[in-house]
Amino acid sequence: MSPTVFFVAIVSAMLINNVVLMRFLGVCPFLGVSKKSETAIGMSAAVMFVMVVGSILTYLLYYFVLEPFEITYISTIAFILIIASLVQLVEMFIKKASKKLYKALGIYLPLIVTNCAILGIAETNIREGYAAEYGVGQGMLVATSSAFGAALGFALVIFAFSTIRERLEAADVPTAWKGIPISLVVAGIMALAFLGLEGIV
Amino acid sequence: MAKKKKDAGKLSVFTKGLIQQNPIFVFLLGLCPALAVTSSLETGVGMGILVIFVLTASNIVVSLFKNFIPEEIKIPAYIVIIATFVTIVDLGTEAISPPLYDSLGIFIPLIVANCLIMGRATSFASQNNVGRSALDGLGMSLGFGLAMALIGATREFLATGELAYGVYLPLGFEGSIIGLEAAPFSMEVFVGPAGGFIVIGVWLAIFNAIGQHRQHRRKIARDRWIEKKKQQAAERKRRKAMEGGSA
């Protein structure tokens, strides 16, 4: 297996199948914490950690526990529990490490649990059938790199979006469009731009 | 007074979720499925039906167990309850309506991560009794379903010029509600992700505009009322002064 597989997995998860703009995962934090670029960076760092570690753990759980015991139908419950406990860990860590970031992320930190991007990537890793294609061991590496790429894509889009929104604050927008409506239209235009990247890989 | 409030509240617990506190258009909860599976009316409605089941059931169970769940592990406990119902829905949909299962795909397990359901569990069901929680869940999820149907219908109509074309939901009929055969004018971008964002943005702006218009009219009416009262008071004062003067 050549290293290009990982590169392709990262690029396609980051740009072509962007989590927010193409797969509609994690739209709530995308709109919620993108008012300032500082919080956007903090959020995407937390999401990156939970997404990568979470997808490794869920992958291992699926192929070494759920599948041998033939209880794959409870995968949703098992995955969400793993993610919830990981988020608890990250929350405790950030609370200790940076009070300021903890305050800024506020309600969105426990809400990473209900960030569908993380559960979505964990589910996609299983559904894409990396294990069948590359074997369980190497499949895990591919799954991890696609999770990493997805997290990078999330960070890229949420950061770009937050800088646009900082400028929108100063723009003269009709009152009915102020806030979320105009942001959604901006997101739509960003999605149009990302359509142009389709077919690179 | 408390009793009166409760009696008046019974119906409003149910109806508030429909329009006044619509989860998608007012609270912006559950936007991921609202964007992802509303490329046509029937997927939007299908998702709405699944959410109605999950939210009502999870609200009932959460409110049943609210006194037994310690505060610290509230969120994991609620998540397990929600995930159980989502698994039921996942397996049920696969058995009853495979085409719907295929077209909703990964978004059925992702109902777990729908912030609407978690939000209602923590903010309403954990503080209210079973009946009120059930009503709240039903109303909120119906509001969600209505919004999904609205977005889905808009997108499908703009993209294809048709509504409910080739329905496969178990609704008992097949064929289109509106079929304009408007292929030359169809805008395929509205099926895609960009169209989803823009359609929701436009609907939000429309609802904002209506709300602002109403508020404006109410303000004008109130101002007029205050002005009238002021005039009456001035009139009374003048009359009193005149009476005092004559006496």
Side-chain angles (χ1 to χ4, degrees):
Chain A
M1 186 163 84
S2 63
T4 50
V5 175
F6 303 117
F7 182 72
V8 167
I10 289 179
V11 169
S12 80
M14 177 181 175
L15 296 174
I16 298 156
N17 287 316
N18 188 284
V19 260
V20 180
L21 295 178
M22 287 295 153
R23 283 192 266 180
F24 297 123
L25 300 171
V27 176
C28 299
F30 174 67
L31 290 171
V33 291
S34 59
K35 269 194 180 147
K36 278 194 200 136
S37 43
E38 249 175 81
T39 50
I41 293 172
M43 182 71 179
S44 35
V47 164
M48 187 175 291
F49 177 77
V50 177
M51 198 180 271
V52 172
V53 179
S55 68
I56 294 172
L57 289 180
T58 51
Y59 188 93
L60 291 175
L61 181 82
Y62 189 87
Y63 285 106
F64 290 102
V65 179
L66 298 183
E67 218 178 40
F69 289 104
E70 292 181 348
I71 44 172
T72 50
Y73 55 85
I74 63 155
S75 63
T76 311
I77 302 177
F79 287 5
I80 197 79
L81 273 180
I82 285 197
I83 291 165
S85 36
L86 253 181
V87 169
Q88 204 83 27
L89 196 76
V90 173
E91 192 180 346
M92 287 186 324
F93 177 76
I94 292 184
K95 206 173 182 179
K96 266 264 153 66
S98 163
K99 272 262 150 57
K100 201 177 153 204
L101 187 63
Y102 183 75
K103 247 188 194 154
L105 291 180
I107 185 168
Y108 286 94
L109 210 52
L111 279 188
I112 300 183
V113 180
T114 49
N115 180 345
C116 37
I118 290 164
L119 185 63
I121 295 295
E123 289 270 350
T124 315
N125 284 337
I126 306 300
R127 287 185 183 216
E128 288 280 319
Y130 293 130
E133 201 173 330
Y134 305 103
V136 175
Q138 284 183 327
M140 192 185 93
L141 295 178
V142 178
T144 311
S145 45
S146 89
F148 180 63
L152 278 181
F154 182 80
L156 171 77
V157 169
I158 199 171
F159 179 68
F161 191 59
S162 68
T163 52
I164 295 175
R165 275 185 82 173
E166 277 176 0
R167 295 207 164 190
L168 271 182
E169 293 276 299
D172 185 20
V173 180
T175 44
W177 287 89
K178 271 217 169 95
I180 297 290
I182 192 74
S183 311
L184 277 168
V185 173
V186 167
I189 296 168
M190 280 173 81
L192 266 185
F194 267 73
L195 265 185
L197 295 169
E198 219 166 280
I200 291 186
V201 177
Chain B
M1 159 121 197
K3 189 152 187 283
K4 196 181 169 196
K5 201 178 167 192
K6 207 173 183 181
D7 285 340
K10 257 287 186 305
L11 192 68
S12 75
V13 165
F14 174 66
T15 53
K16 73 180 191 297
L18 295 180
I19 293 165
Q20 253 180 335
Q21 299 186 12
N22 189 293
I24 291 184
F25 290 128
V26 179
F27 286 140
L28 301 163
L29 290 173
L31 273 182
C32 303
L35 285 159
V37 295
T38 53
S39 57
S40 72
L41 177 63
E42 62 256 48
T43 50
V45 172
M47 191 67 178
I49 292 170
L50 301 189
V51 169
I52 287 172
F53 174 75
V54 173
L55 182 53
T56 312
S58 74
N59 255 10
I60 290 172
V61 174
V62 165
S63 70
L64 276 177
F65 284 96
K66 63 177 184 286
N67 295 329
F68 304 105
I69 298 172
E71 185 70 21
E72 303 87 55
I73 56 153
K74 203 168 70 173
I75 293 195
Y78 293 167
I79 277 192
V80 172
I81 292 172
I82 296 167
T84 310
F85 287 110
V86 170
T87 308
I88 293 173
V89 159
D90 192 25
L91 298 172
T93 317
E94 195 176 7
I96 296 167
S97 175
L100 183 65
Y101 181 79
D102 288 339
S103 66
L104 294 182
I106 194 171
F107 282 91
I108 297 181
L110 285 187
I111 298 176
V112 178
N114 189 328
C115 11
L116 165 63
I117 294 168
M118 198 63 198
R120 290 330 285 174
T122 48
S123 71
F124 197 93
S126 60
Q127 285 143 23
N128 285 281
N129 61 28
V130 181
R132 281 167 68 85
S133 305
L135 276 180
D136 173 78
L138 199 62
M140 278 286 165
S141 50
L142 269 177
F144 178 82
L146 279 180
M148 295 283 283
L150 180 64
I151 300 164
T154 316
R155 283 178 71 184
E156 190 183 356
F157 185 69
L158 287 174
T160 60
E162 274 148 350
L163 267 190
Y165 187 69
V167 172
Y168 49 71
L169 268 181
L171 291 179
F173 62 89
E174 203 167 311
S176 52
I177 298 172
I178 302 174
L180 287 184
E181 310 266 327
F185 307 106
S186 68
M187 295 171 274
E188 261 167 42
V189 69
F190 284 104
V191 166
F197 281 112
I198 292 172
V199 164
I200 293 191
V202 171
W203 272 120
L204 274 178
I206 291 173
F207 287 126
N208 272 354
I210 294 173
Q212 278 164 9
H213 183 67
R214 273 215 193 124
Q215 227 167 18
H216 186 64
R217 283 220 325 236
R218 216 173 294 148
K219 188 168 172 280
I220 288 177
R222 204 180 53 215
D223 284 352
R224 218 175 265 160
W225 185 77
I226 289 171
E227 194 67 20
K228 210 172 138 193
K229 283 279 164 194
K230 261 187 193 161
Q231 268 177 7
Q232 280 175 351
E235 186 91 344
R236 227 174 303 149
K237 215 174 180 182
R238 207 165 51 217
R239 207 174 294 154
K240 223 175 195 175
M242 264 163 67
E243 273 171 17
S246 68

